[in-house]
Amino acid sequence: MNKAARVLFALDATASREATWDVASQLQDEMFSAAHDLGGLDIKFCYFRGFGEFFASEWHRDGSALRAQMRKIRCAAGATQIHRVFNHAIDENRKQKLKALVFVGDAMEENLDTLAELAGKLGLLNVPIFMFQEGADPLVQTAFKNLARLSGGAYSAFDLGSANEIRILLGAVAVYAAGGLKALTRHCAGASGSLKLLEQQLGK
């Protein structure tokens, strides 16, 4: 079996995400397929919800197994725990190199300085964070953009009407994780819009 790039795929599973959870649970399919020809991906799925609940799966290379696991999850009211996602990424990177952290969420209810410090640590470890914001809350947008920038990653927003767009973007993340910036540049040749912006953010 070829050595695959390792990507941590994290989701906010608090109550505000319930309407789009089924959409989010399908997004990783594009990541698996886009990375297949570049050696594939190993993906670990994690989420937070409720009162301090945090879950992390085993590593998966089989997209169907991961998808089946995600379909069992139900959202529950609670505050965000993005710091636990970042800390988990740091811990996983100690065990074996991570190529990227992908986070999908719509809120940020934590101390931004604390999150920024963790994002900076991930940047020093060469683990870029890809922050995908559901909705258009301007405070969340500012926070997510800063966290992505501090880690050397990238930011993009989406809503229910742009599920296909985020699939394309996650496919680009997979290409980047599996093949690096050169592979992403080839993948984005002739692209425009948010895909081109993602490439430009990573190329800085």
Side-chain angles (χ1 to χ4, degrees), residues 26-199:
Q26 298 172 23
L27 294 177
Q28 44 77 27
D29 285 348
E30 187 72 21
M31 299 184 73
F32 280 111
S33 60
H36 179 75
D37 294 335
L38 294 170
L41 287 181
D42 284 337
I43 293 184
K44 172 173 277 198
F45 160 62
C46 64
Y47 69 87
F48 56 78
R49 67 179 180 182
F51 298 98
E53 182 180 354
F54 181 84
F55 170 85
S57 74
E58 299 299 321
W59 286 100
H60 292 273
R61 195 177 297 193
D62 179 356
S64 60
L66 182 58
R67 184 168 58 252
Q69 188 174 41
M70 293 174 71
R71 283 177 175 170
K72 298 176 182 179
I73 308 304
R74 292 293 175 265
C75 297
T80 63
Q81 302 175 58
I82 301 171
H83 68 284
R84 296 187 71 175
V85 171
F86 289 2
N87 276 316
H88 188 72
I90 292 169
D91 289 342
E92 285 293 336
N93 189 71
R94 289 195 188 104
K95 299 173 186 175
Q96 188 176 329
K97 175 63 181 171
L98 282 182
K99 286 298 184 75
L101 164 60
V102 176
F103 177 76
V104 181
D106 66 344
M108 198 290 291
E109 299 157 335
E110 300 161 70
N111 184 288
L112 183 55
D113 289 340
T114 299
L115 293 180
E117 181 179 357
L118 292 171
K121 287 182 179 179
L122 285 165
L124 291 173
L125 294 168
N126 294 315
V127 180
I129 307 171
F130 294 86
M131 300 292 294
F132 290 97
Q133 178 190 359
E134 179 189 338
D137 185 305
L139 295 178
V140 175
Q141 180 186 73
T142 298
F144 280 19
K145 281 185 174 180
N146 284 335
L147 295 172
R149 176 184 56 79
L150 287 167
S151 71
Y155 161 89
S156 189
F158 75 101
D159 56 31
L160 276 174
S162 59
N164 186 61
E165 181 178 9
I166 195 173
R167 285 190 181 94
I168 293 171
L169 290 171
L170 284 171
V173 172
V175 170
Y176 176 79
L181 188 57
K182 288 184 178 179
L184 178 65
T185 300
R186 290 193 297 269
H187 179 77
C188 295
S192 59
S194 57
L195 185 57
K196 191 64 178 178
L197 288 174
L198 182 141
E199 180 196 4

